[in-house]
Amino acid sequence: MIVLGINPGHNSTAALFKDGKIVAMVSEEKFSRIKNYLGMPYKSIDYCLDYAKITKNDVDLVVIAGTNPRSQMLNITANGLESPVSSERGFMASLSSAVPKSVINVYSDFKWKNKSSEIKQMHADKLGFPIEKIEFLDHHTAHALSCAFNIKPNTLVLTLDGEGDGYCGTVSVFDGKNLNFISKTSQDHSLGLLYMYVTIYLGMKPNEHEFKVMGLEPYAKGERINECKKVFDELIWLKENSLEFDSKMNIHECLPYLYEKLRKYRFDYVAAAVQRKTEELVTEWVKRAIKTTGLNHVAVSGGVFMNVKVNMLVNELPEVEDLFICPSPGDESLPFGCIYYGVKKLNESQSVEPLARLYLGPEYSNDYVKNVLSNDKRLSNYKIEYHEDIESVIADLLANGKIVARMKGRCEWGARALGNRSIIADPRNLDIVKIINEQIKSRDFWMPFAPSMLADKSDKYLINPKHSFAPWMIIAFNTKPQAKIDIPAALHAYDLSARPQFVTKELNPEYYKIISLFESKTGISGVLNTSFNLHGEPIVCSPEDAIHTFLDSGLEYVAIENYLLSKQ
Ligand SMILES: [Fe+2]
């Protein structure tokens, strides 16, 4: 059975299910080089089919996330633009002068409201599949089913995001095959959208820089935060005896209210207040859902659960027996749910392999790399060496205080670099934070880096009362004193929390080898890991992207497959 899952909205992504598992998955931004790309992911679809060595005729079903015809029209139109739109635009059209009027007009045109079948035909024609093989799946069902690969029957599933197909949050129970929804909140009362509007209010990019707002929170102190939080308390809440959110106004219209009520407060108080409001509301929501259903195995998905601090607090709730957080649970994960739905529709008894390794994107052979390196005249002044054991070379460089950008094997899917497209460094050295921020990534000074650590040594550094396994950088932990000694550069500078990647031999043997060798040389059981990209660009995918990043930054060492490119 072969099923293709597609999210054609922002963070557009395609994934392919074959032989009982997801074999390929990649977001279109990796090819378009436009962060959070919006529009049908044609190149990603081609990649998935090529990887599996199949043609469109071999695909049994194509499941596309989204049932709102107007949004689907926006997605279709976005592809036709000379300068495609990325995520901060789209449904944010009215706020962005960068969106061409033609796109706004398509989105606003109510003639598409009831034209689902016409739009399905358009997708069929453009994608090259017969219309009978195309299905649409509601946005929040797709979010909820994105957890289904990894959870057991009678798991409580919560989704929370900005908005999708009219809703911003759902509560359901997974029975082993299907979801039984017990609550849905209209997009008009969206906590995710409120967070996004606060991000805009603070002068940052919506749908992209919410994590920077989260990163500011620990720096703010004092009573002014509570005053500020009261503004949010009066704006959004959980309905009494309900699992639905409610709000004073349609959250889409809250920006003037925020400007009026918050302008006397400093930026860090606002950031801290919205983060604390989110933490408070989400944990209360989860507690109520557990109380209502009597179920304490919990799974979560949707963009709000990109918030690693919220996830930490949910995980720490005594009511939660265990928590599954969908990896990279923004809209890039919708194809997981689409595939699960499609597979079960075709054959209810088809087994599916749990998600574990997220290295599901393109890879490049050493021959390909050699060819690219030798044909790029801009590299003639730089040193290029082939190393059979490149992992040992990288570990040596790290132990000697060098920063190395590493590109090897299949590109990881999702917002986090998990070692195959990562910049890595010695986490003991706090100066490295400044060097990476200024010379390489032009990052914001308050944003922390993260550690990749040997999974079996994580207890050395993390306070992890539930012994959670954290391979995807989707949850934060408070840390033990040893972390401040061994890996200070990979912690949040102010609250010393960490957003770790647990690395095992099974998940990534070569990355595991680098960290193990680094440990044998230094006694430190982890490395600093930040995504391999320039600020504002998608994470690199190809050797060409890696070379562009090398040339346009202060990076001294880039390891591409077994080749080491250096400015020495
Ligand atoms: Fe979503």
Side-chain angles (χ1 to χ4, degrees):
M1 180 197 299
I2 297 176
V3 178
L4 183 64
I6 298 173
N7 164 32
H10 70 79
N11 299 54
S12 87
T13 300
L16 190 83
F17 179 90
K18 184 173 177 265
D19 303 328
K21 62 184 178 190
I22 291 177
V23 294
M25 182 158 184
V26 64
S27 293
E28 192 74 357
E29 66 170 23
K30 291 290 191 325
F31 302 114
S32 70
R33 307 309 298 158
I34 296 167
K35 206 167 164 72
N36 304 336
Y37 182 88
L38 181 151
M40 187 56 75
Y42 291 113
K43 291 194 172 89
S44 305
I45 295 167
D46 288 345
Y47 165 73
C48 289
L49 300 176
D50 287 349
Y51 177 82
K53 298 188 172 57
I54 58 171
T55 67
K56 288 177 180 171
N57 289 335
D58 300 315
V59 176
D60 298 303
L61 195 61
V62 179
V63 184
I64 301 174
T67 51
N68 179 335
R70 289 197 302 141
S71 296
Q72 291 290 359
M73 269 314 295
L74 174 71
N75 300 336
I76 288 172
T77 319
N79 282 110
L81 298 171
E82 271 179 35
S83 150
V85 277
S86 67
S87 86
E88 75 267 21
R89 304 169 202 159
F91 67 84
M92 289 289 301
S94 60
L95 288 167
S96 173
S97 57
V99 178
K101 260 268 174 296
S102 57
V103 174
I104 298 173
N105 291 344
V106 168
Y107 187 58
S108 320
D109 190 343
F110 275 83
K111 82 175 179 217
W112 299 110
K113 197 164 180 259
N114 298 311
K115 298 285 173 85
S116 210
S117 53
E118 278 96 328
I119 288 169
K120 192 183 267 193
Q121 187 63 57
M122 273 190 226
H123 275 314
D125 294 344
K126 283 175 181 281
L127 287 169
F129 289 99
I131 191 166
E132 313 78 61
K133 284 192 179 179
I134 293 185
E135 289 260 341
F136 291 134
L137 180 66
D138 156 73
H139 189 94
H140 277 271
T141 306
H143 270 315
L145 286 178
S146 67
C147 300
F149 292 85
N150 293 58
I151 59 177
K152 297 189 182 106
N154 287 323
T155 297
L156 177 61
V157 184
L158 298 101
T159 67
L160 198 59
D161 67 1
E163 62 179 351
D165 291 331
Y167 295 100
C168 67
T170 66
V171 181
S172 62
V173 176
F174 179 66
D175 67 7
K177 282 175 188 149
N178 301 303
L179 297 160
N180 300 305
F181 284 92
I182 53 175
S183 169
K184 290 186 178 185
T185 296
S186 154
Q187 63 179 26
D188 296 350
H189 314 297
S190 171
L191 179 63
L193 280 183
L194 172 63
Y195 209 112
M196 184 191 79
Y197 282 113
V198 173
T199 305
I200 294 169
Y201 172 84
L202 290 169
M204 294 185 260
K205 276 190 189 175
N207 263 351
E208 191 172 330
H209 288 164
E210 282 74 6
F211 71 104
K212 296 187 184 186
V213 177
M214 178 186 73
L216 268 176
E217 185 271 339
Y219 290 99
K221 294 278 176 280
E223 190 45 36
R224 302 279 280 171
I225 302 169
N226 289 333
E227 288 174 30
C228 223
K229 184 169 160 292
K230 278 198 189 106
V231 174
F232 298 123
D233 290 340
E234 286 164 15
L235 185 59
I236 190 163
W237 56 86
L238 270 170
K239 274 187 201 170
E240 217 171 311
N241 301 319
S242 167
L243 295 171
E244 271 181 61
F245 295 87
D246 200 358
S247 56
K248 185 187 179 81
M249 63 185 74
N250 183 333
I251 294 293
H252 263 307
E253 289 155 13
C254 76
L255 257 183
Y257 178 84
L258 299 182
Y259 282 110
E260 183 200 326
K261 299 282 183 182
L262 296 174
R263 69 173 156 233
K264 60 183 176 187
Y265 296 103
R266 215 170 62 187
F267 67 99
D268 52 336
Y269 298 135
V270 177
V274 76
Q275 174 64 21
R276 290 183 196 179
K277 177 71 189 173
T278 304
E279 292 170 357
E280 185 184 289
L281 262 188
V282 175
T283 48
E284 177 56 30
W285 187 50
V286 173
K287 283 199 280 188
R288 269 196 211 181
I290 290 172
K291 202 169 171 195
T292 307
T293 58
L295 301 173
N296 57 8
H297 298 275
V298 180
V300 295
S301 189
V304 172
F305 293 105
M306 290 293 281
N307 193 310
V308 295
K309 288 286 181 68
V310 166
N311 295 345
M312 175 174 86
L313 294 171
V314 171
N315 192 43
E316 285 174 355
L317 288 173
E319 293 89 342
V320 172
E321 178 68 27
D322 61 63
L323 177 67
F324 175 76
I325 308 160
C326 175
S328 205
D331 286 359
E332 62 274 24
S333 65
L334 290 170
F336 285 141
C338 292
I339 283 178
Y340 191 89
Y341 170 84
V343 167
K344 294 296 174 181
K345 189 177 166 92
L346 292 173
N347 178 3
E348 271 210 349
S349 57
Q350 168 72 49
S351 62
V352 295
E353 205 171 278
L355 309 173
R357 298 185 82 253
L358 302 181
Y359 308 99
L360 296 165
E363 66 182 331
Y364 302 85
S365 67
N366 270 311
D367 284 346
Y368 182 90
V369 174
K370 184 181 179 186
N371 198 29
V372 171
L373 290 172
S374 51
N375 286 328
D376 194 327
K377 291 191 174 57
R378 297 172 300 171
L379 301 176
S380 55
N381 291 329
Y382 301 119
K383 200 157 127 188
I384 300 170
E385 297 166 322
Y386 178 88
H387 295 279
E388 192 58 43
D389 187 0
I390 188 82
E391 284 74 31
S392 296
V393 175
I394 294 173
D396 277 340
L397 287 167
L398 297 177
N400 287 318
K402 304 297 184 191
I403 299 165
V404 182
R406 173 177 192 258
M407 152 171 188
K408 197 169 193 196
R410 293 185 74 186
C411 185
E412 50 273 66
W413 160 82
R416 305 274 89 92
L418 298 173
N420 281 9
R421 302 291 187 278
S422 289
I423 294 172
I424 48 182
D426 184 340
R428 290 172 298 184
N429 180 3
L430 280 169
D431 290 341
I432 269 184
V433 173
K434 205 170 164 208
I435 297 169
I436 298 178
N437 279 348
E438 289 181 5
Q439 292 186 6
I440 300 174
K441 298 191 73 180
S442 310
R443 285 169 97 252
D444 300 299
F445 62 90
W446 71 87
M447 289 310 296
F449 291 114
S452 295
M453 57 179 68
L454 302 176
D456 54 359
K457 303 290 176 65
S458 60
D459 276 350
K460 227 163 107 178
Y461 301 132
L462 305 178
I463 298 169
N464 185 0
K466 292 188 178 172
H467 308 288
S468 307
F469 184 62
W472 300 322
M473 288 190 163
I474 193 58
I475 183 168
F477 293 86
N478 287 315
T479 56
K480 294 178 178 171
Q482 193 64 37
K484 198 179 172 188
I485 299 165
D486 284 5
I487 57 168
L491 306 178
H492 191 289
Y494 213 84
D495 68 6
L496 303 180
S497 63
R499 169 174 54 79
Q501 175 196 4
F502 288 13
V503 182
T504 64
K505 214 181 232 179
E506 294 69 37
L507 287 174
N508 192 334
E510 291 164 328
Y511 194 38
Y512 181 86
K513 182 177 172 186
I514 291 172
I515 304 173
S516 299
L517 288 170
F518 180 74
E519 185 194 44
S520 66
K521 291 170 201 298
T522 63
I524 310 298
S525 307
V527 295
L528 178 154
N529 170 7
T530 184
S531 53
F532 184 2
N533 60 324
L534 294 172
H535 189 65
E537 292 188 1
I539 299 174
V540 305
C541 180
S542 67
E544 291 84 349
D545 304 332
I547 291 166
H548 152 72
T549 308
F550 174 75
L551 292 172
D552 280 11
S553 72
L555 267 174
E556 286 184 89
Y557 297 93
V558 174
I560 309 178
E561 290 300 320
N562 286 63
Y563 286 90
L564 183 70
L565 176 59
S566 68
K567 288 178 182 158
Q568 296 307 297

